[in-house]
Amino acid sequence: MATADDVRRLALSLPGAMEKLAWGMPTFRLESGGKIFASLDDDDGAMGVKCPKEDREELIASEPEKFFMRAGHDDNYAWLRVRLAAVEDDEELYAILLDSWRQAAPRKLLDAHPDLARPGAP
């Protein structure tokens, strides 16, 4: 089971990541440009991450105990919620955060970190 502290530790380990409070919640964003790649929900029981709209339904259908959308909030955005209690370990949590980071990172940051820029990177 992942915790808010795990999210914070792993999100901030990604290049160019910083934490900033927004809407009363911790958000994790890129220093350059300020794009958000993750946020913790009010109760620290879930996090939001970037996810292409076309991939959300399949993820939710395959693991509904882990993935969900907040109705009325996530509908129009490329965003998905993850229940932290359903995340198996640091490796899975890091993979989810890294995927979201890749979607938010500008080309220059991805080029500076080719080991992280490609899918399947550790």
Side-chain angles (χ1 to χ4, degrees):
M1 176 174 115
T3 67
D5 288 338
D6 296 329
V7 171
R8 181 171 282 108
R9 175 176 49 84
L10 293 173
L12 294 175
S13 75
L14 293 165
M18 61 178 274
E19 182 175 349
K20 182 177 180 181
L21 198 63
W23 311 287
M25 298 179 297
T27 63
F28 302 93
R29 54 183 73 214
L30 299 170
E31 292 172 350
S32 61
K35 284 189 178 179
I36 297 172
F37 68 90
S39 67
L40 285 168
D41 283 4
D42 296 342
D43 64 359
D44 289 345
M47 69 174 177
V49 292
K50 293 186 76 58
C51 180
K53 287 182 182 181
E54 59 273 10
D55 295 344
R56 296 185 304 188
E57 285 186 31
E58 183 178 338
L59 284 167
I60 292 167
S62 69
E63 296 184 82
E65 72 288 347
K66 186 178 296 176
F67 300 111
F68 69 102
M69 289 185 353
R70 190 184 311 159
H73 184 77
D74 299 327
D75 302 336
N76 298 317
Y77 302 98
W79 206 250
L80 182 72
R81 305 286 160 169
V82 182
R83 289 181 183 89
L84 297 180
V87 175
E88 292 181 27
D89 54 27
D90 273 5
E91 186 176 328
E92 181 182 25
L93 179 60
Y94 182 76
I96 293 168
L97 288 165
L98 178 59
D99 184 61
S100 187
W101 176 88
R102 285 182 186 125
Q103 293 175 62
R107 174 61 40 205
K108 186 175 181 179
L109 185 58
L110 293 170
D111 289 346
H113 300 279
D115 56 321
L116 297 178
R118 70 185 192 293

